[in-house]
Amino acid sequence: MEIDYQNIKVIGFDADDTLWVNETYFRDAEKEFAQLLSKYETVNKIDQELFRMEIDNLQLYGYGVKAFTLSMVESALEISNYNVSTKTIEAILNIGKDMLNKPVELLDGVEEVLKILSKKYRLILATKGDLLDQERKLEKSGLTNYFHHIEVLSDKKEANYSNLLNHLDINPSEFLMIGNSLKSDVLPLVNIKAHAIHVPFHTTWAHEEVTEAEKNGKAYNTLSSIDKVLNILK
C-alpha cells in the first residue's frame, strides 16, 4: 500500500517484541506454570484458565509481568480447588521474578534504525505494562538516549494515543507509530488519522490478535523486519 510519510515529524516505537524479545518469556512461563499444576488439569485447560484470569484482571492489574504473576497465583488456587501447596505458590512467584530478571535481547537491526532515524525525527517510546519493569528494561537495553520522550501507557486505545499526542503537541498527521501489535500499535493510530507501520513478531499474545474484518480497509504498511523501515523513511 502506497502511503505518504513526508509529513512525519515524530516517530513512536513500541517496546516489547518491537525493540526487544518479550512474549517468548511469557510462553515459557506458561509452560512452567502448566507443569506445576499438571496433577490438577490438562495443559490445554490450564492455559485456557490462565488466559481467562488474565483478561478478567486487566482492569485491576493492567499489563506486565506482575499482573501476569498475580493471575498465575489466582489461577492456581482455582484450578486446584484451593489445594495448591505453599511451595507451589512460591514456585509461581519465582517464575515471575525470573521473568523480571531476564536479560534484554534486542531484535536485529533495532539500534541501527534508531541511530539513523533519530538524526532526522523526534523519537518517542510508547509502551504499556508495569512502569518499573519497563524502565528497567529500557535501561538494560542501552537505547535510552535515542528517545526524546518515554511514555508507559495504561492501555493503547484511541483515547490513550490522542491524550499522548495532545500532551506532546503533535498533530496526528505528523505522527508515525511502529510496533508489532495490530491491536495496540497500528489500528488505534489509523483510527485517529495518524500513521502506523506493523512489524510482526513471531509470537503474539491471544489478546492482541485481531480479525480480518478489523483490518479490512485500514491504511498501514506491514514490514518483515524493523530495518525495512529505513527503505520507506528517507
Side-chain angles (χ1 to χ4, degrees):
M1 183 178 293
E2 191 67 30
I3 298 174
D4 185 3
Y5 297 106
Q6 289 187 10
N7 293 327
I8 299 301
K9 295 180 180 177
V10 180
I11 302 176
F13 285 86
D14 171 53
D16 294 335
D17 301 317
T18 297
L19 302 182
W20 51 66
V21 174
N22 179 66
E23 194 61 27
T24 304
Y25 300 143
F26 281 83
R27 297 290 81 78
D28 292 342
E30 288 168 355
K31 291 176 183 177
E32 288 185 64
F33 177 70
Q35 289 176 351
L36 286 173
L37 296 178
S38 59
K39 72 176 183 179
Y40 299 108
E41 268 295 356
T42 64
V43 170
N44 187 54
K45 180 65 173 178
I46 292 169
D47 286 344
Q48 289 176 357
E49 289 303 306
L50 176 56
F51 179 69
R52 179 189 61 78
M53 185 67 72
E54 287 181 86
I55 300 306
D56 287 348
N57 284 336
L58 276 180
Q59 292 301 316
L60 284 174
Y61 302 151
Y63 297 88
V65 174
K66 293 176 187 176
F68 176 68
T69 304
L70 288 170
S71 290
M72 282 195 292
V73 170
E74 288 188 55
S75 294
L77 292 171
E78 287 195 3
I79 291 168
S80 69
N81 197 26
Y82 294 85
N83 289 315
V84 66
S85 68
T86 54
K87 185 177 180 180
T88 300
I89 295 295
E90 181 183 32
I92 292 169
L93 293 175
N94 284 333
I95 291 174
K97 289 178 181 178
D98 288 344
M99 292 175 73
L100 291 171
N101 287 316
K102 291 286 187 185
V104 172
E105 180 185 345
L106 294 183
L107 296 176
D108 290 342
V110 162
E111 186 157 18
E112 178 191 8
V113 168
L114 296 179
K115 186 179 297 183
I116 292 173
L117 293 182
S118 63
K119 295 175 182 177
K120 181 178 179 182
Y121 303 93
R122 183 155 52 118
L123 306 186
I124 70 169
L125 185 72
T127 185
K128 65 183 179 184
D130 177 71
L131 177 60
L132 183 61
D133 186 31
Q134 293 292 5
E135 288 179 340
R136 185 187 297 115
K137 285 191 284 189
L138 183 58
E139 185 176 346
K140 285 182 179 180
S141 74
L143 302 176
T144 306
N145 291 337
Y146 294 114
F147 296 105
H148 175 271
H149 178 80
I150 297 161
E151 189 83 15
V152 179
L153 302 162
S154 60
D155 209 336
K156 282 185 164 180
K157 297 180 179 178
E158 284 91 340
N160 303 99
Y161 282 114
S162 293
N163 290 337
L164 173 61
L165 298 188
N166 287 336
H167 175 68
L168 297 175
D169 197 24
I170 301 169
N171 189 304
S173 65
E174 299 171 335
F175 183 70
L176 167 66
M177 183 70 186
I178 298 173
N180 70 292
S181 170
L182 284 172
K183 182 174 181 177
S184 293
D185 305 317
V186 175
L187 299 182
L189 280 305
V190 175
N191 290 340
I192 63 170
K193 310 301 182 186
H195 298 276
I197 292 176
H198 182 217
V199 185
F201 189 63
H202 59 75
T203 302
T204 302
W205 185 30
H207 181 62
E208 296 293 329
E209 294 175 355
V210 299
T211 65
E212 288 300 321
E214 290 175 294
K215 293 187 285 185
N216 190 37
K218 303 295 185 180
Y220 63 88
N221 279 317
T222 297
L223 303 178
S224 58
S225 59
I226 199 165
D227 60 310
K228 299 295 194 298
V229 169
L230 299 177
N231 296 334
I232 58 178
L233 295 176
K234 310 278 183 170

